[in-house]
Amino acid sequence: MDKARFDYLFVSDLHISQGYDAERRAYHPREDFVFDEPFFRWLCWMDENCAPGKRWELVFVGDAFDFLPFDEELARRYLREKESRSGPLPTYWQQQFSAPPADPDAERLQRLLFEDDLLAGRLCLKPAEAAPAFAPLPNLPPWAVELHDRYQPPGKKSPALGLSALTLAEGEARPVEHNEAFERRYGFLPTPEKSADKVDVIYQGHPLFFRALARFVSRGHRVVFVRGNHDLELYWPAVQQRIRDCIEREVRAGLGIPAGQPLPCDLDQQVDFSPGWFYYRKGLFYAEHGKQYEPLDAVPNPIRPVMADDEWMLNPPVGSLAVTCIHTRLEDEYPEWENRGQAASAMLELIRRYPWQALSIILRHGIDFMWMARRLWRAGQGKEQGPGEEDLKHQAKVSGLDPQLIRSIYEAMARPLLLNRPLAWFLFSPLGHALKAVLIVAAVALVVFWYVAAVPWLAALIPAGFPSAALGPALRRLAEIVLWFGPFLLLSRALQQRAVRMGHDPYLSRAVRRIHAHLATHDPALRFYIMGHTHYTEADLVERRADGNHVYYLNTGCWFVEFAEDARRLQTVGQEVQFTFVRLLSGDGGVQADLLRWNDEAGRVERQMLPPARRTRALQQWSRLR
């Protein structure tokens, strides 16, 4: 493939999830992306406005999808079926496979349960003569063989005897800790098949989005997905193939190509998934989502993000656990809360407006979050969780960079919370909980001492006759009021200011400068660093050069509703959505990149407007909080 014939589009943070429910005639309350039609029209416009002799490569810079919300009804059916099974499992599956499933959901349940049994080693496929207790399965579905072979070492894959010559037998059980109580409350754990099943849910809720991608690739363009913190599941080959299958289905429907006939486009080449955490083209750009520079959202091994003791389970960041346990529950009650700016500021505003309801949700589900985070922390103790030499060599092979250079870029990241041993110990260990309890008791004692002893004593320092017998008692009462409410107001203001500083901390700009310090000598022509994650569009000068070919950091923003008044009027010309993207063009005049927005009402692309400075935006956000 000739990469020189491509120009590039970058978009991120669509957060495509469960989408539109045709039965309910409504979008799911946890859905953020409700703009399938504008996205389709945007890609059509870009296709029509491609440079002569060029095609586009559309790069999703992380969080194109959101795998964290879950299908509650399917999870309930899955657990009911799992609990109702009895007797030998091969017998159960003999009965399940004796006839085709009654509906598509029944097949989904079969695949999920079959994966569970394979991962736990409770089942295996054998030639019928090797397991005489069970007859061959003439109706053994091909997907069962595919799942079986996925989880087997090379020497134990199913014999090439044909489906009718295979049967199921009991396997060698192995310890697998999949917490069913957690799945009952918060959805499926991120194994390959359970993650791939979510792709089907996303496709059902957003067929037009996949239709847009299908039309795009059928016209000769390419699509590349980079992993973010909300779509870490893109790591699984099963998820990647399921996305290609959905796009292929739409290509065939759009072009009228029956199943079995070849497509006019090669989806394996035109729909790609960037390994590791970044996507790099020498002399053109360096793109990554940006999650690795926030301790809550960083994963220990961004190249191979699996558990240290279980290669078939993703190792999610602590922030994803918080979203799963707390964020989605808040969104069920207050669907608009996360669209009101940065999470820390929005959380404080939510608590201020609905204190008892919000705190009740946070405390009730926060216990589950702490418990699951502790399990993750304990699972990684004493194990090397960062990328190994083989991981670095693999990333080097696909990116063209030296393994040691990739190691240097990795070391420029923020340290994931669970790898910060003192902090993780304090937050999640039993002794840490005891220390927190001691600190809470000490804080309560200090508060009691302040209000019971310190306030009356300090107020009594004002003489009763100062400056007169009439005013003295009033001044004492006024001092007591100030001493009673002053600390609370000061603490509240400090928390709000801290939230604003955290929400508008330019940590990605600083991260880009650290990355550029490593890449500048290897690739002097590299000028553009592109990220997402923050949901704010940004353009920052990284290095000023004498020849005018300056180095820039560009943030693509997001594609869902944003109610933050301080950013909306300027950045989106009064609209509540940004529809922003980065366009990179290369030609005789060199490489140029622009931060643009799709004006869906006018049907054209426009330049994106930015606030004059981060400090202005922070001050406006602070004014809104007050």
Side-chain angles (χ1 to χ4, degrees), residues 315-341:
N315 187 11
V318 175
S320 293
L321 284 182
V323 170
T324 301
C325 296
I326 301 172
H327 176 286
T328 54
R329 300 298 172 169
L330 287 171
E331 200 169 12
D332 288 341
E333 296 294 328
Y334 313 104
E336 81 289 352
W337 84 271
E338 68 162 343
N339 303 107
R340 303 189 66 86

Side-chain angles (χ1 to χ4, degrees), residues 235-528:
Y235 166 76
W236 299 125
V239 170
Q240 299 174 13
Q241 187 56 48
R242 198 69 62 89
I243 291 173
R244 288 193 181 101
D245 291 343
C246 294
I247 295 175
E248 178 182 347
R249 198 175 311 166
E250 291 298 328
V251 170
R252 292 188 180 279
L255 299 179
I257 302 174
Q261 292 189 11
L263 296 176
C265 51
D266 185 353
L267 293 185
D268 288 339
Q269 288 292 325
Q270 291 179 252
V271 181
D272 200 6
F273 297 83
S274 178
W277 75 95
F278 66 85
Y279 184 42
Y280 166 73
R281 286 282 176 259
K282 187 173 182 179
L284 294 175
F285 63 84
Y286 172 98
E288 67 167 290
H289 182 57
K291 68 181 187 301
Q292 290 299 128
Y293 305 98
E294 233 181 353
L296 278 174
D297 292 326
V299 295
N301 186 349
I303 300 175
R304 193 167 47 87
V306 295
M307 299 289 292
D309 56 353
D310 188 353
E311 63 175 323
W312 301 114
M313 180 72 70
L314 287 182
N315 187 11
V318 175
S320 293
L321 284 182
V323 170
T324 301
C325 296
I326 301 172
H327 176 286
T328 54
R329 300 298 172 169
L330 287 171
E331 200 169 12
D332 288 341
E333 296 294 328
Y334 313 104
E336 81 289 352
W337 84 271
E338 68 162 343
N339 303 107
R340 303 189 66 86
Q342 291 292 334
S345 302
M347 182 74 75
L348 288 175
E349 182 181 358
L350 189 65
I351 293 173
R352 180 178 60 82
R353 294 174 62 187
Y354 313 104
W356 298 115
Q357 300 93 322
L359 287 173
S360 173
I361 293 173
I362 292 169
L363 292 175
R364 187 166 67 251
H365 298 284
I367 294 173
D368 293 329
F369 159 71
M370 294 292 290
W371 179 82
M372 197 63 178
R374 179 173 176 266
R375 286 194 64 191
L376 277 181
W377 173 65
R378 292 185 62 186
Q381 280 187 309
K383 300 180 178 69
E384 178 57 45
Q385 298 190 67
E389 293 303 319
E390 291 301 317
D391 298 325
L392 295 173
K393 289 178 181 178
H394 175 69
Q395 184 76 7
K397 182 179 178 180
V398 296
S399 65
L401 296 173
D402 183 78
Q404 291 307 313
L405 180 58
I406 296 175
R407 169 74 73 182
S408 299
I409 296 173
Y410 171 78
E411 291 173 352
M413 298 175 179
R415 189 170 181 79
L417 177 59
L418 292 182
L419 295 189
N420 188 334
R421 293 185 179 180
L423 182 57
W425 176 88
F426 175 72
L427 290 175
F428 306 123
S429 72
L431 288 177
H433 294 328
L435 179 57
K436 289 194 290 287
V438 170
L439 293 175
I440 290 172
V441 170
V444 171
L446 182 62
V447 170
V448 171
F449 171 77
W450 173 261
Y451 287 109
V452 173
V455 169
W457 179 76
L458 290 172
L461 294 178
I462 300 176
F466 177 83
S468 66
L471 289 176
L475 289 175
R476 279 191 176 185
R477 182 63 62 188
L478 179 60
E480 288 180 352
I481 293 173
V482 171
L483 292 170
W484 262 85
F485 294 102
F488 173 78
L489 295 175
L490 290 174
L491 178 62
S492 175
R493 178 165 182 171
L495 288 174
Q496 290 176 330
Q497 288 179 322
R498 175 64 177 167
V500 169
R501 286 195 298 271
M502 289 175 59
H504 300 283
D505 179 19
Y507 62 94
L508 287 185
S509 292
R510 294 196 299 270
V512 165
R513 284 168 170 78
R514 295 196 298 270
I515 299 170
H516 183 61
H518 296 293
L519 280 176
T521 54
H522 168 80
D523 187 0
L526 183 64
R527 296 179 51 217
F528 298 105

Side-chain angles (χ1 to χ4, degrees), residues 70-373:
F70 67 99
D71 187 339
E72 295 178 80
E73 179 57 32
L74 181 67
R76 283 194 289 267
R77 289 183 58 187
Y78 156 81
L79 289 169
R80 282 200 302 267
E81 181 69 20
K82 192 171 184 178
E83 292 166 354
S84 66
R85 298 189 300 177
S86 60
L89 281 176
T91 302
Y92 169 83
W93 285 110
Q94 289 267 348
Q95 296 170 349
Q96 291 291 308
F97 293 151
S98 62
D103 58 78
D105 281 347
E107 181 175 315
R108 291 172 65 194
L109 285 174
Q110 284 185 356
R111 295 174 74 113
L112 299 177
L113 290 166
F114 198 70
E115 181 195 50
D116 271 353
D117 292 336
L118 291 173
L119 285 174
R122 294 187 288 260
L123 284 176
C124 66
L125 285 175
K126 290 185 177 180
E129 63 270 15
F134 299 98
L137 288 172
N139 295 320
L140 182 68
W143 59 258
V145 180
E146 176 192 339
L147 284 180
H148 176 270
D149 288 354
R150 179 189 299 166
Y151 303 116
Q152 301 302 318
K156 293 190 176 182
K157 296 191 182 294
S158 58
L161 300 176
L163 299 182
S164 60
L166 295 173
T167 191
L168 289 162
E170 294 183 357
E172 298 177 5
R174 53 180 180 264
V176 177
E177 288 192 44
H178 291 179
N179 188 271
E180 293 183 9
F182 188 86
E183 287 192 311
R184 186 182 303 279
R185 299 192 70 181
Y186 301 108
F188 298 133
L189 296 175
T191 60
E193 191 60 30
K194 289 175 180 177
S195 300
D197 182 79
K198 290 186 178 182
V199 176
D200 294 330
V201 175
I202 292 170
Y203 174 62
Q204 292 170 10
H206 294 277
L208 187 58
F209 172 80
F210 287 91
R211 200 167 304 151
L213 296 184
R215 182 186 183 278
F216 193 68
V217 298
S218 67
R219 300 275 295 174
H221 308 289
R222 294 188 77 236
V223 177
V224 177
F225 291 92
V226 179
R227 299 195 296 264
N229 51 305
H230 284 258
D231 54 10
L232 194 65
E233 285 81 349
L234 292 177
Y235 166 76
W236 299 125
V239 170
Q240 299 174 13
Q241 187 56 48
R242 198 69 62 89
I243 291 173
R244 288 193 181 101
D245 291 343
C246 294
I247 295 175
E248 178 182 347
R249 198 175 311 166
E250 291 298 328
V251 170
R252 292 188 180 279
L255 299 179
I257 302 174
Q261 292 189 11
L263 296 176
C265 51
D266 185 353
L267 293 185
D268 288 339
Q269 288 292 325
Q270 291 179 252
V271 181
D272 200 6
F273 297 83
S274 178
W277 75 95
F278 66 85
Y279 184 42
Y280 166 73
R281 286 282 176 259
K282 187 173 182 179
L284 294 175
F285 63 84
Y286 172 98
E288 67 167 290
H289 182 57
K291 68 181 187 301
Q292 290 299 128
Y293 305 98
E294 233 181 353
L296 278 174
D297 292 326
V299 295
N301 186 349
I303 300 175
R304 193 167 47 87
V306 295
M307 299 289 292
D309 56 353
D310 188 353
E311 63 175 323
W312 301 114
M313 180 72 70
L314 287 182
N315 187 11
V318 175
S320 293
L321 284 182
V323 170
T324 301
C325 296
I326 301 172
H327 176 286
T328 54
R329 300 298 172 169
L330 287 171
E331 200 169 12
D332 288 341
E333 296 294 328
Y334 313 104
E336 81 289 352
W337 84 271
E338 68 162 343
N339 303 107
R340 303 189 66 86
Q342 291 292 334
S345 302
M347 182 74 75
L348 288 175
E349 182 181 358
L350 189 65
I351 293 173
R352 180 178 60 82
R353 294 174 62 187
Y354 313 104
W356 298 115
Q357 300 93 322
L359 287 173
S360 173
I361 293 173
I362 292 169
L363 292 175
R364 187 166 67 251
H365 298 284
I367 294 173
D368 293 329
F369 159 71
M370 294 292 290
W371 179 82
M372 197 63 178

